[in-house]
Amino acid sequence: MGELLGSLAFSLIIIALIAGAWAWITTLFRKGMMALLGFDRICVQQFETVLLYRNGRFERALNPGPHRIRTGSRQLVRIDLRPEVFRFKQGAVSADRFALNLIYVVRTQIIAPQASFESTQSYRDEVCMRLQSVVKAVCSRKTRLEIQMDHQTFSNSVQKAASQVFRSIGCECLTFELMQVDITGLAVELDNRRAGVAVHAPVAVGEKSAFAAM
């Protein structure tokens, strides 16, 4: 009985050694000698940057090409550096109080990968929000005719202002092109219409009794 248990234990040890050797050889052929020393191979594409965080702290940015990094408590974040195109349809008010509908196209690009990742949870949402705020601000400083008749000057003003606003999130406004401007009327008239609708809106029962009591 003892000899049987001994031979069984010996067989299990032999199987474990063979399995370990096979895993070692497989890793050697698949990942190379450095993988056996605790390194992993990372390939960074030409159009991206990879941010390396270790134990929750930023360590370095990996440039395009192959890299060997130690395995362990790490996080890899791939940041696409290719330009991105946004198309907007937005309402705004000119300096002479005309309500406008604008259609424009914007090209942006990440220039500071770490800032773009760490400064906001949603990079694209942040770009959209800031860009629309810039367009409203520029419209409020220009008249209807200035916006309608000179798209290029308006576009240049928005592009310059947007690039300054985007800097804190690691982005740059490459181009801004105003495609179309439609006039919907005077903003004062629109405000009066809204106020008129509010005045003529049906009054709730509780509000009627309150007026009657007065």
Side-chain angles (χ1 to χ4, degrees):
M1 187 67 178
E3 293 181 357
L4 179 61
L5 292 176
S7 61
L8 181 60
F10 181 76
S11 300
L12 292 175
I13 293 173
I14 294 299
I15 293 173
L17 289 176
I18 294 174
W22 177 254
W24 187 86
I25 294 172
T26 302
T27 303
L28 178 64
F29 278 101
R30 288 179 57 191
K31 297 184 178 181
M33 181 62 70
M34 297 299 292
L36 299 176
L37 300 177
F39 288 86
D40 198 3
R41 185 177 184 274
I42 301 297
C43 184
V44 182
Q45 302 295 328
Q46 184 67 37
F47 55 82
E48 68 180 359
T49 292
V50 174
L51 305 179
L52 174 61
Y53 290 82
R54 197 176 297 278
N55 295 320
R57 294 182 178 275
F58 175 76
E59 187 170 287
R60 60 192 173 101
L62 305 179
N63 296 322
H67 297 268
R68 292 286 185 180
I69 60 175
R70 285 191 175 276
T71 58
S73 301
R74 68 178 191 194
Q75 178 188 7
L76 297 176
V77 181
R78 294 185 180 270
I79 304 295
D80 196 324
L81 301 179
R82 290 173 291 186
E84 193 166 359
V85 179
F86 298 87
R87 186 179 186 274
F88 292 91
K89 183 176 182 181
Q90 177 183 346
V93 178
S94 64
D96 49 355
R97 299 294 294 167
F98 276 90
L100 313 173
N101 280 333
L102 295 84
I103 298 177
Y104 54 90
V105 177
V106 183
R107 291 176 70 246
T108 65
Q109 186 173 25
I110 294 175
I111 57 175
Q114 184 183 354
S116 69
F117 175 68
E118 296 181 355
S119 60
T120 176
Q121 290 185 352
S122 176
Y123 158 77
R124 290 177 179 82
D125 289 346
E126 190 73 22
V127 166
C128 295
M129 184 272 294
R130 295 191 182 202
L131 180 62
Q132 292 182 68
S133 297
V134 169
V135 170
K136 285 185 177 180
V138 174
C139 282
S140 67
R141 297 194 297 266
K142 292 182 178 292
T143 64
R144 171 184 62 87
L145 285 177
E146 287 177 327
I147 298 172
Q148 274 191 308
M149 304 304 293
D150 193 353
H151 286 195
Q152 188 61 48
T153 300
F154 179 85
S155 297
N156 291 340
S157 299
V158 174
Q159 179 186 355
K160 183 178 179 181
S163 289
Q164 294 177 350
V165 171
F166 290 167
R167 195 167 299 162
S168 62
I169 56 173
C171 181
E172 182 181 9
C173 182
L174 299 179
T175 61
F176 180 98
E177 185 177 359
L178 182 61
M179 308 293 293
Q180 182 178 333
V181 181
D182 296 324
I183 310 299
T184 60
L186 286 171
V188 176
E189 294 177 358
L190 293 177
D191 292 340
N192 292 337
R193 291 175 191 171
R194 295 192 187 102
V197 170
V199 169
H200 292 91
V203 181
V205 176
E207 295 176 347
K208 286 183 179 180
S209 59
F211 283 122
M214 294 175 63

